Amino acid sequence: MQYAGNKNLQLQEEVIAVHDSIMPKMGALVRDNLKVGILLTKMDSLKQVNPALDTAQEKDKLLKLQSKLTEANEEMTDWMHNFEPAQEDKKAEEMASYLQNELAKIKALKEKFATAESESREILSKYKP
């Protein structure tokens, strides 16, 4: 039984480590989302600065990016609210299954954050002063 407890502790530590690797990125995603919102309100000004800009296409890109950034942030917030590491009423096997499921969820979130971060960097880079 002690082995299962140690294995579960290792699983829990791995889940927390993945979570901790994502947390510093949340602020950047929120800031990028704010930038996107501002850009969406300034399409006319952007067109004046760059008459060749296809504002419809650019607006579409920005709206898709905004959706990705919002979704990643909301999913992380939901995951944090729903994660229950202390479940003394569960058997070791049940806890192991729960932690493995949570590890899969948080790893998928890490990938979603990486994708959103990369796309944000690519799209917003052309708007840097």
Side-chain angles (χ1 to χ4, degrees), residues 18-33 65 67-80 105-122:
V18 175
H19 161 271
D20 290 350
S21 73
I22 299 170
M23 283 304 296
K25 299 176 181 188
M26 283 187 76
L29 259 62
V30 169
R31 281 189 300 277
D32 285 355
N33 207 351
L65 176 59
S67 179
K68 274 188 180 182
L69 294 171
T70 299
E71 185 179 306
N73 196 40
E74 286 176 357
E75 284 186 31
M76 181 62 169
T77 300
D78 289 346
W79 182 88
M80 289 187 298
K105 286 181 191 176
I106 197 71
K107 282 183 173 180
L109 265 172
K110 183 176 181 172
E111 185 61 35
K112 184 173 271 196
F113 262 73
T115 300
E117 185 179 40
S118 173
E119 288 182 26
S120 183
R121 199 170 30 246
E122 179 186 327

Coordinates of all heavy atoms in Angstrom, one line a residue, residues 18-33 65 67-80 105-122:
V18 N 3.7 20.5 -13.9 CA 3.2 21.0 -15.2 C 2.3 22.3 -15.0 O 2.5 23.2 -15.8 CB 2.4 19.9 -15.9 CG1 1.7 20.4 -17.2 CG2 3.2 18.7 -16.2
H19 N 1.5 22.2 -14.0 CA 0.7 23.4 -13.7 C 1.6 24.6 -13.4 O 1.4 25.7 -14.0 CB -0.1 23.2 -12.4 CG -0.6 24.4 -11.7 ND1 0.1 25.0 -10.8 CD2 -1.8 25.1 -11.9 CE1 -0.6 26.1 -10.3 NE2 -1.7 26.2 -11.0
D20 N 2.7 24.4 -12.7 CA 3.6 25.5 -12.3 C 4.3 26.1 -13.5 O 4.7 27.2 -13.6 CB 4.6 25.1 -11.2 CG 3.9 24.9 -9.9 OD1 2.7 25.3 -9.7 OD2 4.6 24.3 -9.0
S21 N 4.5 25.2 -14.5 CA 5.2 25.7 -15.8 C 4.3 26.5 -16.6 O 4.7 27.3 -17.4 CB 5.7 24.5 -16.6 OG 4.7 23.8 -17.2
I22 N 3.0 26.4 -16.4 CA 2.0 27.1 -17.2 C 1.7 28.5 -16.6 O 1.5 29.5 -17.2 CB 0.7 26.4 -17.4 CG1 0.9 25.1 -18.1 CG2 -0.4 27.2 -18.1 CD1 -0.3 24.1 -18.2
M23 N 1.7 28.5 -15.2 CA 1.2 29.7 -14.5 C 1.9 31.0 -14.9 O 1.2 32.0 -15.1 CB 1.4 29.5 -13.0 CG 0.3 28.6 -12.4 SD -1.4 29.2 -12.7 CE -1.3 30.8 -11.8
P24 N 3.2 31.0 -15.1 CA 3.8 32.3 -15.5 C 3.4 32.8 -16.9 O 3.5 34.0 -17.2 CB 5.3 32.0 -15.6 CG 5.5 30.7 -14.8 CD 4.2 30.0 -14.9
K25 N 2.8 31.9 -17.7 CA 2.3 32.3 -19.0 C 0.9 32.9 -19.0 O 0.5 33.6 -20.0 CB 2.4 31.1 -19.9 CG 3.8 30.6 -20.1 CD 3.8 29.3 -20.9 CE 5.3 28.8 -21.0 NZ 5.4 27.8 -21.9
M26 N 0.2 32.8 -17.9 CA -1.2 33.3 -17.9 C -1.2 34.8 -18.0 O -2.0 35.3 -18.8 CB -1.9 32.8 -16.6 CG -2.3 31.4 -16.7 SD -3.3 30.9 -15.3 CE -4.9 31.6 -15.7
G27 N -0.3 35.5 -17.4 CA -0.3 36.9 -17.4 C 0.0 37.4 -18.9 O -0.7 38.4 -19.3
A28 N 0.9 36.8 -19.5 CA 1.2 37.2 -20.9 C 0.0 36.9 -21.8 O -0.3 37.8 -22.7 CB 2.4 36.4 -21.4
L29 N -0.7 35.8 -21.6 CA -1.9 35.6 -22.5 C -3.0 36.6 -22.2 O -3.6 37.1 -23.2 CB -2.4 34.2 -22.2 CG -2.0 33.1 -23.3 CD1 -0.6 32.9 -23.4 CD2 -2.8 31.8 -23.0
V30 N -3.1 37.0 -21.0 CA -4.1 38.0 -20.6 C -3.7 39.4 -21.3 O -4.6 40.1 -21.9 CB -4.3 38.2 -19.1 CG1 -5.1 39.4 -18.8 CG2 -5.0 36.9 -18.5
R31 N -2.4 39.7 -21.2 CA -2.0 41.0 -21.8 C -2.1 40.9 -23.3 O -2.6 41.9 -23.9 CB -0.5 41.2 -21.4 CG -0.3 41.8 -20.1 CD 1.1 42.2 -19.8 NE 2.1 41.2 -20.0 CZ 2.4 40.3 -19.0 NH1 1.8 40.3 -17.8 NH2 3.3 39.3 -19.2
D32 N -1.8 39.8 -23.9 CA -1.9 39.7 -25.4 C -3.4 39.8 -25.8 O -3.8 40.4 -26.8 CB -1.4 38.4 -25.9 CG 0.1 38.4 -25.9 OD1 0.8 39.4 -25.7 OD2 0.7 37.3 -26.2
N33 N -4.3 39.2 -25.0 CA -5.7 39.3 -25.2 C -6.2 40.8 -25.2 O -7.0 41.2 -26.0 CB -6.5 38.4 -24.2 CG -7.8 37.9 -24.8 OD1 -8.2 38.3 -25.9 ND2 -8.4 37.0 -24.1
L65 N -7.5 34.6 -32.8 CA -6.5 34.6 -31.7 C -7.1 35.0 -30.4 O -6.8 34.3 -29.4 CB -5.4 35.6 -32.1 CG -4.3 35.8 -31.0 CD1 -3.6 34.5 -30.7 CD2 -3.4 36.9 -31.5
S67 N -10.1 34.4 -29.4 CA -10.8 33.2 -28.9 C -9.9 32.2 -28.3 O -10.2 31.6 -27.3 CB -11.6 32.6 -30.1 OG -12.3 31.5 -29.7
K68 N -8.8 31.9 -29.0 CA -7.8 31.0 -28.5 C -7.2 31.4 -27.1 O -7.0 30.6 -26.2 CB -6.6 30.8 -29.5 CG -6.9 29.8 -30.5 CD -5.7 29.5 -31.3 CE -6.1 28.4 -32.3 NZ -5.0 28.0 -33.2
L69 N -6.9 32.7 -27.0 CA -6.3 33.2 -25.8 C -7.3 33.1 -24.6 O -6.9 32.7 -23.5 CB -5.8 34.6 -26.0 CG -4.7 34.8 -27.0 CD1 -4.5 36.3 -27.2 CD2 -3.4 34.2 -26.4
T70 N -8.5 33.5 -24.9 CA -9.6 33.4 -23.9 C -9.8 32.0 -23.5 O -9.9 31.7 -22.3 CB -10.9 34.1 -24.4 OG1 -10.6 35.4 -24.7 CG2 -12.0 34.0 -23.4
E71 N -9.9 31.1 -24.4 CA -10.2 29.7 -24.2 C -9.1 29.1 -23.3 O -9.4 28.4 -22.3 CB -10.3 28.9 -25.5 CG -10.8 27.5 -25.3 CD -10.9 26.8 -26.7 OE1 -11.6 27.3 -27.5 OE2 -10.3 25.7 -26.9
A72 N -7.9 29.3 -23.7 CA -6.7 28.7 -22.9 C -6.8 29.2 -21.5 O -6.6 28.5 -20.5 CB -5.4 29.1 -23.5
N73 N -7.0 30.5 -21.3 CA -7.0 31.1 -19.9 C -8.2 30.6 -19.1 O -8.0 30.2 -18.0 CB -7.1 32.6 -20.0 CG -6.7 33.3 -18.7 OD1 -5.8 32.9 -18.0 ND2 -7.4 34.3 -18.4
E74 N -9.4 30.5 -19.7 CA -10.5 30.0 -19.0 C -10.4 28.5 -18.7 O -10.8 28.1 -17.6 CB -11.8 30.2 -19.9 CG -12.2 31.7 -19.9 CD -13.4 31.9 -20.8 OE1 -13.9 31.0 -21.5 OE2 -13.9 33.1 -20.8
E75 N -9.9 27.7 -19.6 CA -9.7 26.3 -19.3 C -8.7 26.1 -18.1 O -8.9 25.2 -17.3 CB -9.2 25.5 -20.5 CG -10.3 25.3 -21.5 CD -9.9 24.4 -22.7 OE1 -9.0 23.6 -22.5 OE2 -10.5 24.6 -23.8
M76 N -7.6 26.9 -18.1 CA -6.7 26.8 -17.0 C -7.4 27.2 -15.7 O -7.2 26.5 -14.7 CB -5.5 27.7 -17.2 CG -4.4 27.6 -16.2 SD -3.7 25.9 -16.0 CE -2.4 26.3 -14.9
T77 N -8.1 28.3 -15.7 CA -8.8 28.7 -14.5 C -9.8 27.6 -14.0 O -9.8 27.3 -12.8 CB -9.6 30.0 -14.7 OG1 -8.6 31.0 -15.1 CG2 -10.3 30.5 -13.5
D78 N -10.5 27.0 -14.9 CA -11.5 26.0 -14.6 C -10.7 24.8 -14.0 O -11.2 24.2 -13.0 CB -12.3 25.5 -15.8 CG -13.3 26.6 -16.3 OD1 -13.6 27.5 -15.5 OD2 -13.8 26.4 -17.4
W79 N -9.6 24.4 -14.7 CA -8.9 23.2 -14.2 C -8.4 23.5 -12.7 O -8.5 22.6 -11.9 CB -7.7 23.0 -15.1 CG -6.9 21.8 -14.6 CD1 -7.1 20.5 -15.0 CD2 -5.8 21.7 -13.7 NE1 -6.3 19.6 -14.3 CE2 -5.5 20.4 -13.5 CE3 -5.1 22.7 -13.0 CZ2 -4.4 20.0 -12.6 CZ3 -4.1 22.3 -12.1 CH2 -3.8 21.0 -12.0
M80 N -7.9 24.7 -12.5 CA -7.4 25.0 -11.1 C -8.5 24.9 -10.1 O -8.3 24.4 -9.0 CB -6.7 26.4 -11.1 CG -5.4 26.4 -11.8 SD -4.5 27.9 -11.6 CE -5.6 29.1 -12.3
K105 N -5.0 16.0 -18.6 CA -5.7 17.3 -18.8 C -4.7 18.5 -18.8 O -4.7 19.3 -19.6 CB -6.7 17.5 -17.7 CG -8.0 16.7 -17.9 CD -8.9 17.1 -16.7 CE -10.1 16.2 -16.6 NZ -10.9 16.5 -15.4
I106 N -3.8 18.5 -17.8 CA -2.9 19.6 -17.6 C -1.8 19.6 -18.7 O -1.4 20.7 -19.2 CB -2.3 19.7 -16.2 CG1 -1.7 21.1 -15.9 CG2 -1.3 18.6 -15.9 CD1 -2.7 22.2 -15.7
K107 N -1.4 18.5 -19.2 CA -0.5 18.4 -20.3 C -1.1 18.9 -21.6 O -0.5 19.6 -22.4 CB 0.0 17.0 -20.5 CG 1.1 16.6 -19.5 CD 1.6 15.2 -19.8 CE 2.8 14.9 -18.9 NZ 3.3 13.5 -19.2
A108 N -2.4 18.6 -21.8 CA -3.1 19.1 -22.9 C -3.3 20.6 -22.8 O -3.1 21.4 -23.8 CB -4.5 18.5 -23.1
L109 N -3.5 21.1 -21.6 CA -3.5 22.6 -21.4 C -2.2 23.2 -21.7 O -2.1 24.3 -22.3 CB -4.0 22.9 -20.0 CG -5.4 23.1 -19.8 CD1 -5.7 23.2 -18.3 CD2 -5.9 24.4 -20.5
K110 N -1.1 22.6 -21.3 CA 0.2 23.1 -21.6 C 0.4 23.3 -23.1 O 1.0 24.3 -23.5 CB 1.3 22.2 -21.0 CG 2.7 22.8 -21.1 CD 3.7 21.9 -20.4 CE 5.1 22.6 -20.6 NZ 6.1 21.9 -19.8
E111 N 0.0 22.3 -23.8 CA 0.1 22.3 -25.3 C -0.8 23.5 -25.9 O -0.3 24.2 -26.8 CB -0.3 21.0 -25.9 CG -0.1 20.9 -27.4 CD 1.4 21.1 -27.8 OE1 2.3 20.7 -27.1 OE2 1.6 21.7 -28.9
K112 N -2.0 23.6 -25.3 CA -2.9 24.7 -25.8 C -2.2 26.1 -25.5 O -2.3 27.0 -26.3 CB -4.2 24.6 -25.1 CG -5.2 25.6 -25.6 CD -6.6 25.3 -25.0 CE -7.3 24.4 -25.9 NZ -8.7 24.3 -25.7
F113 N -1.6 26.2 -24.4 CA -0.9 27.5 -24.0 C 0.2 27.7 -25.0 O 0.4 28.9 -25.4 CB -0.4 27.4 -22.6 CG -1.3 28.1 -21.6 CD1 -2.5 27.5 -21.2 CD2 -1.0 29.3 -21.0 CE1 -3.4 28.1 -20.3 CE2 -1.9 30.0 -20.1 CZ -3.0 29.4 -19.8
A114 N 1.0 26.7 -25.3 CA 2.1 26.9 -26.2 C 1.7 27.3 -27.5 O 2.3 28.2 -28.2 CB 2.9 25.6 -26.2
T115 N 0.6 26.7 -28.0 CA 0.1 27.0 -29.3 C -0.4 28.5 -29.3 O -0.2 29.3 -30.2 CB -1.1 26.1 -29.7 OG1 -0.5 24.8 -29.8 CG2 -1.7 26.4 -31.1
A116 N -1.2 28.8 -28.3 CA -1.8 30.2 -28.2 C -0.6 31.2 -28.1 O -0.7 32.3 -28.8 CB -2.7 30.3 -27.0
E117 N 0.4 30.9 -27.3 CA 1.5 31.8 -27.1 C 2.3 32.0 -28.5 O 2.6 33.1 -28.8 CB 2.4 31.2 -26.1 CG 3.6 32.1 -25.7 CD 4.4 31.4 -24.6 OE1 4.6 30.2 -24.7 OE2 4.9 32.1 -23.7
S118 N 2.5 30.9 -29.2 CA 3.2 31.0 -30.5 C 2.4 31.8 -31.5 O 3.0 32.7 -32.2 CB 3.5 29.6 -31.0 OG 4.0 29.6 -32.3
E119 N 1.1 31.5 -31.6 CA 0.3 32.3 -32.6 C 0.2 33.7 -32.2 O 0.2 34.6 -33.1 CB -1.1 31.6 -32.7 CG -1.1 30.3 -33.4 CD -2.4 29.7 -33.6 OE1 -3.4 30.4 -33.6 OE2 -2.5 28.4 -33.7
S120 N 0.1 34.0 -30.9 CA 0.0 35.4 -30.5 C 1.3 36.1 -30.8 O 1.2 37.2 -31.3 CB -0.2 35.4 -29.0 OG -0.4 36.7 -28.5
R121 N 2.4 35.5 -30.6 CA 3.7 36.2 -30.9 C 3.8 36.5 -32.4 O 4.2 37.5 -32.8 CB 4.8 35.2 -30.4 CG 6.1 35.9 -30.2 CD 7.2 35.0 -29.5 NE 7.1 33.6 -29.8 CZ 6.8 32.7 -28.8 NH1 6.6 33.1 -27.6 NH2 6.7 31.4 -29.1
E122 N 3.4 35.5 -33.2 CA 3.5 35.6 -34.6 C 2.5 36.8 -35.1 O 2.9 37.6 -35.9 CB 3.1 34.3 -35.3 CG 3.1 34.4 -36.8 CD 2.6 33.1 -37.4 OE1 2.8 32.0 -36.9 OE2 2.0 33.2 -38.5

